[in-house]
Amino acid sequence: MEFSINKGNPAKQRCASVVVGVFETRILSEAAKTLDKSANGYISNILNNGDMEGKPGSTLLLHNVPNTICNRVLLVGLGEKSVFRDREFRSAIRAAFNKLHETGASDASLFLIDVPVKNRKIAWKISHTVIVAMESIYRSDQLKSKRNNDKQQLQKVILSTTGKVDSITGKEALQWGLATAHGMSLTKDLGNLPPNICTPTYLAKLAVKMAKNYKLKATILEQKDMEKLGMGSLLSVARGSSQPAKLITLEYWGQNKKEKPFVLVGKGVTFDTGGISLKPAADMDEMKYDMCGAASVFGTIAAITQMRLPINVVGIIPATENMPGGKATKPGDIVTSMSGQTIEILNTDAEGRLILCDALTYAERYKPEVVIDIATLTGACVIALGNVASGLLSNNNKLATELLIASEQAADHAWHLPLWKEYDEQLRSNFADMANIGGRAAGTITASCFLSRFTKKYCWAHLDIAGTAWESGKKKGATGRPVPLLTQFLTTHATKKSSGKKS
Ligand code: BES
Ligand code: MN
Ligand code: ZN
């Protein structure tokens, strides 16, 4: 799908479909008004007949609209004008593209970026149109023997305005949207891959390939290297598996190397059976998504590479399977982490924190500006926040606020949870420095408390994406989240820096 921006009159678009918005109740958007005028009230007549109210998500396809030179006009319901915000804008775009795909149109001219969205400039609307459009064509069918041959029909999309868009602003917004969409698509592809293909070795090879193609730096630490570093916690998770664990780093230096890097640490459990604390069988296949944190690090680095962001970013991915086996870690085992702190493993299914803690200690060597870890860490987060928001915990309130702002801007929701000392006490162990679980209460918070014991030397935030990284049920598939949030956060920092305002 190709995108361009153009100023024009909706009645004069020579293409398969012209798309205009209609608010509830039957209030025409500016572009719809222009079209209606040329068509001598044809559209308002139809609306007055009761064929469309403008309800959010509704669409109405019109043929032979008088005095137009397009094949069809697609009316898209925008809902109530007074509450037309980010969510409503994106839903309207989604509805428009779903309908366009149904019609099989090869090109379309969308007059939707003119519609006012509270507190959003045109650049935001352009970027998000691109992201939502790219999402609408995403398929994961590489492994079907007969690929669904509904070849992509919508090839050319013109984001049209009746006003003017500054060409640099427009171009940058398009590029931002395309890069983010590209990153999300990579993240989805990796998440959706089956666990027999997407192994730690597969992820390591991908990092090496990306480094080659995009001039990044990849380093793969093997198990013996990790032993030397004393990563006893990470390695304890890999013990039950016949797939060797890898510690992958992927570095993007978009700026002077003297500038401290932003470090992203992604949980890469390529399959989580629970280990000896085995999970129940129902839906266990979904634990192939337990590497979505890692996938989002790959996706974010792909996105910022594509847009050549002037910032330094290091991705660190601890990758392993969590399997039961003769050599597997047992409940009650005590291991020593790279930090020197000892951990009593009371539940081998709380493995994410065990691999992350060593990766977080390893992150110290980069003298990071900030460290953000991304992990499908706790089922408790799904109970607390559902599939809507990622859990956000941090040892620094300024960083947490910046991430919340980025999440809003990216329409990739996150919610701040507390990291108070009272919760940390739940990790007490009689035999080691800490236990790896803190009981049923506040599971997302105690998991973060565990991580926070390894992040004292820098500014750190944790994103629990257990509820947001993939969808279950009929629409089972990875979502590409939180690539938009992370990309937005890094973009904001890069822009701040390049304009000389130190954050
Ligand atoms: N990968 C899971 C978390 C998870 C579970 C994500 C379900 C999404 C859906 C993680 O490794 C895990 O098993 N966590 C345990 C921790 C518990 C043993 C303290 C959990 O949440 O049950
Ligand atoms: Mn687990
Ligand atoms: Zn897990």
Side-chain angles (χ1 to χ4, degrees):
M1 204 153 35
E2 255 176 50
F3 298 87
S4 58
I5 302 171
N6 195 26
K7 174 173 159 20
N9 182 328
K12 297 197 175 127
Q13 304 295 308
R14 190 177 296 284
C15 62
S17 307
V18 165
V19 184
V20 294
V22 178
F23 287 109
E24 227 169 317
T25 0
R26 301 188 293 278
I27 300 169
L28 299 182
S29 64
E30 289 306 316
K33 268 187 209 157
T34 311
L35 202 57
D36 190 45
K37 223 180 196 171
S38 313
N40 303 322
Y42 183 85
I43 296 176
S44 40
N45 264 339
I46 287 182
L47 297 182
N48 290 335
N49 279 337
D51 287 324
M52 195 205 205
E53 291 286 311
K55 288 221 183 306
S58 64
T59 52
L60 184 67
L61 198 59
L62 306 176
H63 294 269
N64 307 319
V65 177
N67 303 322
T68 59
I69 51 173
C70 57
N71 300 349
R72 324 171 181 81
V73 168
L74 178 63
L75 303 183
V76 179
L78 306 175
E80 273 181 57
K81 199 169 178 175
S82 58
V83 295
F84 194 68
R85 306 236 165 94
D86 296 5
R87 180 181 291 112
E88 289 74 22
F89 178 82
R90 288 171 48 99
S91 304
I93 299 292
R94 201 168 296 124
F97 277 94
N98 288 343
K99 193 70 195 178
L100 286 172
H101 296 318
E102 255 178 52
T103 66
S106 64
D107 62 344
S109 175
L110 270 73
F111 283 84
L112 294 173
I113 57 172
D114 276 343
V115 180
V117 176
K118 200 166 179 193
N119 294 333
R120 295 300 181 208
K121 295 190 180 139
I122 194 129
W124 185 93
K125 292 185 268 185
I126 293 169
S127 298
H128 283 266
T129 300
V130 172
I131 292 171
V132 173
M134 294 306 286
E135 274 192 301
S136 74
I137 56 166
Y138 178 82
R139 297 280 176 282
S140 181
D141 56 5
Q142 308 96 302
L143 295 171
K144 293 198 189 241
S145 57
K146 283 200 198 88
R147 280 217 193 171
N148 208 352
N149 241 355
D150 56 344
K151 58 176 183 301
Q152 190 197 311
Q153 274 135 339
L154 188 56
Q155 271 145 7
K156 238 179 93 188
V157 177
I158 305 172
L159 309 185
S160 302
T161 73
T162 48
K164 208 174 143 38
V165 184
D166 173 64
S167 74
I168 295 176
T169 308
K171 206 171 155 198
E172 278 181 2
L174 273 186
Q175 278 170 350
W176 196 89
L178 282 170
T180 305
H182 167 70
M184 290 173 79
S185 163
L186 171 63
T187 299
K188 290 184 202 182
D189 281 345
L190 291 172
N192 290 332
L193 277 175
N196 58 331
I197 293 180
C198 186
T199 59
T201 304
Y202 180 94
L203 292 178
K205 284 189 179 153
L206 172 71
V208 171
K209 193 174 100 187
M210 278 177 66
K212 221 189 213 156
N213 291 349
Y214 304 121
K215 298 210 178 98
L216 309 173
K217 182 177 171 200
T219 315
I220 314 299
L221 297 190
E222 304 294 336
Q223 290 189 162
K224 58 177 191 318
D225 305 315
M226 293 187 258
E227 269 162 35
K228 276 186 209 141
L229 287 166
M231 295 185 163
S233 184
L234 195 167
L235 289 168
S236 77
V237 176
R239 288 180 61 82
S241 169
S242 55
Q243 291 289 341
K246 310 271 173 182
L247 185 75
I248 303 160
T249 56
L250 190 56
E251 302 171 23
Y252 168 83
W253 298 94
Q255 211 190 5
N256 192 318
K257 281 216 176 182
K258 280 188 203 138
E259 295 288 335
K260 290 179 172 180
F262 288 74
V263 175
L264 305 177
V265 179
K267 172 177 173 183
V269 173
T270 60
F271 197 78
D272 182 11
T273 66
I276 297 299
S277 314
L278 195 64
K279 285 184 182 294
D283 299 325
M284 206 209 268
D285 68 290
E286 294 191 6
M287 281 299 116
K288 72 174 184 179
Y289 290 114
D290 214 15
M291 36 57 71
C292 281
S296 74
V297 173
F298 279 114
T300 303
I301 291 182
I304 61 164
T305 305
Q306 183 166 322
M307 54 183 135
R308 298 174 204 269
L309 215 58
I311 195 169
N312 296 332
V313 178
V314 174
I316 303 181
I317 292 157
T320 178
E321 286 184 340
N322 185 22
M323 299 287 284
K327 291 185 183 161
T329 292
K330 303 165 290 294
D333 283 359
I334 293 180
V335 298
T336 304
S337 66
M338 183 180 175
S339 72
Q341 300 177 87
T342 59
I343 303 160
E344 184 184 15
I345 299 176
L346 291 175
N347 189 321
T348 63
D349 197 12
E351 85 297 343
R353 61 198 81 180
L354 293 174
I355 67 169
L356 289 170
C357 71
D358 280 342
L360 288 167
T361 302
Y362 187 74
E364 285 171 13
R365 65 184 51 204
Y366 287 97
K367 302 200 169 33
E369 174 78 26
V370 302
V371 178
I372 303 168
D373 80 75
I374 309 102
T376 48
L377 203 63
T378 63
C381 194
V382 193
I383 303 299
L385 300 173
N387 308 110
V388 179
S390 304
L392 164 65
L393 300 100
S394 176
N395 62 10
N396 182 293
N397 273 326
K398 180 167 168 268
L399 173 60
T401 305
E402 285 174 359
L403 284 163
L404 285 177
I405 292 170
S407 79
E408 276 198 27
Q409 182 137 14
D412 185 359
H413 306 295
W415 195 254
H416 196 180
L417 298 170
L419 253 188
W420 294 323
K421 233 192 188 147
E422 288 89 330
Y423 294 108
D424 186 77
E425 286 160 17
Q426 289 175 228
L427 295 172
R428 219 185 59 81
S429 159
N430 281 352
F431 309 110
D433 296 343
M434 69 196 90
N436 78 326
I437 53 170
R440 277 172 54 82
T444 303
I445 299 178
T446 54
S448 310
C449 286
F450 180 95
L451 298 178
S452 76
R453 291 175 177 230
F454 300 84
T455 61
K456 301 245 187 269
K457 296 195 178 143
Y458 47 72
C459 203
W460 158 79
H462 161 68
L463 287 167
D464 193 329
I465 57 166
T468 51
W470 77 92
E471 278 186 85
S472 307
K474 226 180 145 189
K475 289 202 285 181
K476 191 188 287 181
T479 60
R481 292 175 66 182
V483 170
L485 189 171
L486 294 168
T487 308
Q488 181 65 59
F489 172 80
L490 295 172
T491 305
T492 305
H493 269 277
T495 319
K496 258 191 212 160
K497 282 203 173 137
S498 63
S499 66
K501 279 177 262 161
K502 187 92 176 104
S503 63

